[in-house]
């Protein structure tokens, strides 16, 4: 029970900064508004317990979350998690892995093939990640630029045209940076240039 309560604390909050077309309306209540909550876990029991509540727009994972849940970081494992999560909700975010553009891109394509409409591929906001994100976008993959620690990265994300940018608020604050201020600046950048990045 303690671990299930802990899952509630592992929420990733993504704010919609502009209106974009919604890819699936099957689980999304029409009056939810623009803020979105994502369950940040690879714990299938948490999916079963929390996703039916209707609070979450989707699930997000990354290699660290998979490791904590003792789930292998593989396309097959993520396919199993995605199928379970998507039986309750609209989106499943999973992070590509690899040390260079080629590996990040190729893994990202495999992850997107799980479900092109509902899987969002997270790519780290590094030089190699940005190059991979550009190629994934050209192939019609939904992309989230993740591990963002600076407002400047929101400019890069919006310039690329990724669907989401994922600021790491807690980690920014842990490093004694004003994470909330950086997130507000990111919001201003996206809105100021008329981007559709969330």
């Amino acid at each position: 029970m303690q671990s299930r309560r802990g899952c509630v604390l592992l929420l990733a909050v993504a704010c919609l900064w502009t209106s974009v077309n919604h890819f699936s309306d099957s689980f999304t209540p029409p009056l939810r508004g623009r803020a979105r909550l994502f369950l940040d876990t690879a714990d299938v029991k948490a999916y079963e317990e929390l996703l039916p509540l209707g609070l979450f727009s989707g699930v997000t994972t990354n290699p660290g979350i998979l490791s904590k849940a003792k789930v292998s970081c593989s396309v097959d494992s993520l396919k199993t998690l995605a199928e379970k999560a998507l039986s309750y909700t609209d989106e499943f975010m999973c992070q590509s892995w690899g040390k260079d553009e080629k590996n990040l891109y190729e893994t990202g394509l495999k992850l997107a093939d799980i479900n092109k409409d509902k899987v969002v591929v997270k790519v780290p906001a590094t030089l190699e990640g940005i190059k991979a994100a550009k190629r994934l976008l050209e192939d019609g993959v939904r992309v989230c630029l993740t591990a963002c620690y600076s407002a400047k990265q929101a400019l890069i994300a919006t310039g690329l045209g990724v669907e989401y940018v994922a600021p790491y608020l807690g980690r920014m604050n842990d490093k004694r940076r004003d994470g909330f201020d950086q997130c507000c600046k990111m919001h201003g950048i996206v809105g100021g240039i008329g981007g559709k990045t969330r």
Side-chain angles (χ1 to χ4, degrees):
M1 188 65 171
Q2 183 69 20
S3 66
R4 289 183 185 172
R5 285 188 194 136
C7 290
V8 174
L9 299 175
L10 295 174
L11 300 177
V13 180
C15 294
L16 289 180
W17 291 321
T18 58
S19 297
V20 294
N21 291 331
H22 196 67
F23 288 89
S24 171
D25 292 324
S26 59
F27 293 101
T28 303
L31 302 177
R32 177 176 276 166
R34 294 176 12 150
R36 309 184 98 185
L37 298 176
F38 287 83
L39 189 61
D40 197 18
T41 185
D43 180 356
V44 173
K45 289 181 182 176
Y47 297 177
E48 294 167 351
E49 183 179 340
L50 299 172
L51 292 176
L53 297 175
L55 300 171
F56 303 99
S57 296
V59 169
T60 182
T61 66
N62 63 38
I65 290 169
L66 295 173
S67 178
K68 276 186 184 178
K70 297 186 172 135
V71 174
S72 69
C73 187
S74 69
V75 174
D76 288 339
S77 293
L78 286 163
K79 181 177 181 185
T80 301
L81 289 175
E83 288 170 351
K84 185 67 170 179
L86 293 172
S87 69
Y88 296 106
T89 190
D90 288 331
E91 293 183 345
F92 184 81
M93 293 194 191
C94 49
Q95 188 168 327
S96 188
W97 57 87
K99 293 189 176 186
D100 58 28
E101 171 195 350
K102 181 178 185 292
N103 288 329
L104 287 164
Y105 169 72
E106 289 175 354
T107 303
L109 283 179
K110 291 174 187 172
L111 294 172
D113 282 342
I114 294 170
N115 186 321
K116 282 266 191 183
D117 293 329
K118 295 185 176 189
V119 167
V120 179
V121 176
K122 295 164 62 175
V123 181
T126 62
L127 180 58
E128 294 301 305
I130 290 164
K131 290 192 269 186
K134 179 183 181 292
R135 292 179 65 192
L136 290 167
L137 289 164
E138 289 169 351
D139 287 334
V141 174
R142 297 177 68 191
V143 174
C144 170
L145 199 64
T146 192
C148 294
Y149 298 97
S150 161
K152 296 172 190 172
Q153 291 169 312
L155 182 60
I156 293 167
T158 307
L160 279 173
V162 300
E163 186 171 346
Y164 290 97
V165 59
Y168 279 22
L169 176 64
R171 291 191 193 171
M172 284 187 273
N173 288 336
D174 290 345
K175 293 181 179 186
R176 299 191 186 280
R177 298 184 70 197
D178 188 344
F180 184 74
D181 179 63
Q182 288 298 308
C183 289
C184 288
K185 287 178 179 173
M186 289 181 191
H187 180 276
I189 288 169
V190 173
I193 62 176
K196 292 189 174 181
T197 297
R198 308 181 207 194

